[in-house]
């Protein structure tokens, strides 16, 4: 399916479902998805694709606004590909209009990098999506930094942000939501120029 201006966009905020994971570093994709849903004035509803979904528009009203589906998979992180593919098929979204928002260990806390395609860098959510869709989707990578000392990566990503990090978290989540919106409305190049740090 080729991408054109009228094709909807699908933004997958990656994370793990359940209250015990809500504040984890691994769930920053959910945090960005929640803010985008708020901006769109919508409420998440359960969808048969095993995801919570909100539909709406992003961008200034009129010609530049885009139809967007924001989703949070109800599968666990390492099974994100199933709900992503089901939503892509249901809403007829071209792969080039799929955006995964996820935590990234190899980037300093709060920094953003946007890109199209590429590897999964050991991220199980991306690994699952790539297996289902191929690699040609957009990624908004939200830096969480590396674990301190010898802490295992799995423990680090499944811990809540530290109190020092939480002081700036709202600002960084807001910036990531802005980056997603810019990507969808103005294109990858503009979004990279503005937000890649």
């Amino acid at each position: 399916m080729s991408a054109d201006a009228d094709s909807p966009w699908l933004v997958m905020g990656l994370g793990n479902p359940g209250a015990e994971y809500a504040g984890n570093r691994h769930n920053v994709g959910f945090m960005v998805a929640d803010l985008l849903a708020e901006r769109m004035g919508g409420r998440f509803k359960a969808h048969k694709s095993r995801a919570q979904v909100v539909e709406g528009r992003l961008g200034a009203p009129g010609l530049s606004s885009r139809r967007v589906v924001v989703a949070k998979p109800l599968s666990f992180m390492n099974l994100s590909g199933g709900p992503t593919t089901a939503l892509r098929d249901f809403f007829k979204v071209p792969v080039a209009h799929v955006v995964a928002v996820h935590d990234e260990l190899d980037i300093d806390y709060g920094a953003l990098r946007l890109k199209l395609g590429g590897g999964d860098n050991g991220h199980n959510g991306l690994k699952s999506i790539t297996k289902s869709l191929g690699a040609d989707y957009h990624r908004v990578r939200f830096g969480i930094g590396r674990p301190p000392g010898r802490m295992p990566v799995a423990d680090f990503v499944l811990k809540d942000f530290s109190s020092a990090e939480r002081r700036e978290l709202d600002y960084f989540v807001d910036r990531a939501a802005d980056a997603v919106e810019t990507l969808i409305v103005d294109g990858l190049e503009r979004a990279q120029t503005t937000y890649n740090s």
Side-chain angles (χ1 to χ4, degrees), residues 18 24 106 132 154 177 181 184 190-192:
N24 289 180
D106 288 337
S132 298
E181 205 165 329
I184 289 170
R190 167 72 66 84
Q192 285 174 324

Side-chain angles (χ1 to χ4, degrees), residues 180-195:
V180 171
E181 205 165 329
T182 302
L183 165 64
I184 289 170
V185 175
D186 298 319
L188 179 61
E189 208 173 304
R190 167 72 66 84
Q192 285 174 324
T193 304
T194 309
Y195 296 100

Side-chain angles (χ1 to χ4, degrees), residues 14-182:
L14 300 189
N16 286 310
E20 68 271 36
Y21 299 105
N24 289 180
R25 293 182 176 92
H26 222 19
N27 270 41
V28 76
F30 274 20
M31 296 171 197
V32 175
D34 286 338
L35 182 55
L36 287 167
E38 202 178 293
R39 289 182 182 186
M40 287 160 52
R43 273 214 158 94
F44 281 102
K45 294 182 177 74
H47 190 271
K48 63 182 181 180
S49 61
R50 285 182 307 135
Q52 289 187 311
V53 168
V54 63
E55 295 176 69
R57 298 189 84 81
L58 285 173
L63 291 176
S64 69
S65 85
R66 299 280 180 266
R67 204 163 71 119
V68 180
V69 177
V70 176
K72 299 190 293 186
L74 292 172
S75 61
F76 280 86
M77 178 69 87
N78 57 353
L79 299 172
S80 301
T84 304
T85 305
L87 288 168
R88 188 270 322 256
D89 293 345
F90 184 85
F91 289 103
K92 299 181 171 46
V93 177
V95 174
H97 279 194
V98 175
V99 183
V101 184
H102 64 93
D103 56 308
E104 177 63 64
L105 288 159
D106 288 337
I107 303 174
D108 290 341
Y109 173 60
L112 293 174
R113 299 268 163 74
L114 289 84
K115 67 177 193 169
L116 174 62
D120 55 56
N121 211 16
H123 192 288
N124 289 329
L126 296 183
K127 206 175 280 183
S128 177
I129 293 173
T130 298
K131 196 174 163 191
S132 298
L133 288 189
D136 296 330
Y137 56 93
H138 289 88
R139 297 99 193 277
V140 175
R141 303 156 73 203
F142 185 110
I144 59 168
R146 301 293 306 181
R150 296 182 173 196
M151 183 190 288
V153 164
D155 293 349
F156 179 68
V157 299
L158 293 175
K159 277 204 172 5
D160 286 2
F161 286 99
S162 70
S163 54
E165 287 170 334
R166 280 200 299 271
R167 281 198 285 276
E168 294 181 292
L169 184 59
D170 286 349
Y171 167 76
F172 288 139
V173 167
D174 192 65
R175 198 164 174 272
D178 288 347
V180 171
E181 205 165 329
T182 302

